[in-house]
Amino acid sequence: MLIAQLSDAHVRPRGVLYHDVVDSNAALVDAVAHVRGLESRPDLVLVTGDLVDHGQPDEYAHVREILEALPVPYLVIPGNHDDRENFRRAFADHDYLPRGGPLHYCVDDHRVRIIGLDSTVPGHHHGHVDGAGLDWLAATLAQDTAKPTLIMLHHPPFVSGIPYLDEYRYFDGASLAAVVERAPNVEAVLCGHVHRSMVRRWAGTVIVTCPSTATEIDLQLAESAQSSSHDGPRGYLLHLWDEREGMISHLVQMGDFAGPYPFA
């Protein structure tokens, strides 16, 4: 099974730029076109939060229009820039989304089970799942401890070392890890939020973060570092699952580069 992961599109109203400098809308259009152009078509697309920038209905109308060009079904979770209720209304036809409360869900229609976990805290930018959400996750994972499972989670529950990202990370990672580590079949936890590709061993599985289709947040590890981003490189992830080989994740960078050359 081949799964594409897009994240952090930060779509704005039509004609408006992200932070007044980046055309995030056109960038998502490019990302969707890139997915459509893959030689091996994904079976499913996962979109791991911050679909829009201000949580406004007109932003959601535009992101829906762009995502409808995907050639395969897609699943969504909100991020800290999304408004949960506007998000719910915008994707009301996505029957897997619950009608009230946090947007936790499980989709078991594919060879890999997908669990969406809503880590948004309305009015804040950090991530958290409350006790009821952790209980739901534990019960859902316990229903099948054999089928390969992916967890979608916007906020990575670890310290990245980039100071201006860690100020609004998922803070109580230990409580979440205590639930996840009891499930031996979690292939990976797929996150967004950090606008970079990161990999970390965690809770008996692996966390992989997806780059943004809009901007890349700069890698700065000094404690005194100030917030900084660049207009690219943009990218997304492809996750390939095989019943014999398990899951492998590939970083896909979008852009024009010299080649192909006849060597490997």
Side-chain angles (χ1 to χ4, degrees):
M1 182 175 182
L2 185 61
I3 300 169
Q5 180 188 356
L6 306 177
S7 201
D8 295 85
H10 291 275
V11 165
R12 299 290 286 121
R14 193 182 302 274
V16 178
L17 300 178
Y18 174 52
H19 286 279
D20 298 322
V21 293
V22 175
D23 193 345
S24 56
N25 299 353
L28 181 59
V29 170
D30 290 345
V32 169
H34 201 280
V35 171
R36 290 178 61 92
L38 289 171
E39 184 176 357
S40 297
R41 173 169 289 186
D43 300 288
L44 184 66
V45 175
L46 308 179
V47 190
T48 46
D50 282 0
L51 279 71
V52 305
D53 197 42
H54 289 174
Q56 299 171 353
D58 52 349
E59 293 176 323
Y60 286 116
H62 195 33
V63 80
R64 283 295 314 252
E65 180 182 339
I66 296 171
L67 292 176
E68 289 308 308
L70 286 169
V72 296
Y74 66 93
L75 306 177
V76 294
I77 57 170
N80 51 292
H81 282 264
D82 290 300
D83 178 278
R84 183 181 287 162
E85 297 312 314
N86 286 340
F87 185 102
R88 195 193 316 270
R89 284 189 286 270
F91 293 97
D93 58 324
H94 284 228
D95 294 337
Y96 57 87
L97 291 175
R99 302 306 178 192
L103 297 172
H104 309 316
Y105 62 84
C106 178
V107 172
D108 204 3
D109 301 333
H110 308 280
R111 297 171 68 194
V112 175
R113 179 174 60 164
I114 309 296
I115 293 176
L117 202 57
D118 181 356
S119 59
T120 62
V121 181
H124 299 275
H125 283 293
H126 70 282
H128 181 71
V129 176
D130 63 15
L134 294 179
D135 290 344
W136 175 89
L137 177 63
T140 302
L141 288 171
Q143 289 172 4
D144 189 335
T145 57
K147 185 173 183 177
T149 297
L150 291 175
I151 297 175
M152 300 167 63
L153 175 72
H154 181 67
H155 300 81
F158 60 76
V159 175
S160 71
I162 302 174
Y164 42 81
L165 285 178
D166 292 335
E167 289 177 358
Y168 50 94
R169 68 182 188 274
Y170 189 114
F171 289 104
D172 187 17
S175 296
L176 179 59
V179 174
V180 174
E181 65 188 2
R182 297 199 297 268
N185 54 326
V186 175
E187 294 280 344
V189 179
L190 308 182
C191 298
H193 190 54
V194 292
H195 291 220
R196 298 189 60 85
S197 178
M198 303 179 191
V199 181
R200 190 184 193 278
R201 184 172 59 186
W202 179 84
T205 186
V206 176
I207 296 179
V208 184
T209 70
C210 187
S212 167
T213 60
T215 58
E216 179 163 293
I217 291 177
D218 292 340
L219 175 59
Q220 299 188 95
L221 302 178
E223 292 184 6
S224 59
Q226 300 299 306
S227 298
S228 179
S229 295
H230 274 78
D231 185 3
R234 301 182 177 94
Y236 60 96
L237 297 179
L238 280 176
H239 308 285
L240 177 63
W241 179 82
D242 179 86
E243 60 184 354
R244 292 172 300 178
E245 302 296 334
M247 181 76 69
I248 185 168
S249 299
H250 294 274
L251 170 64
V252 181
Q253 290 185 320
M254 297 179 291
D256 295 321
F257 310 100
Y261 299 118
F263 55 79

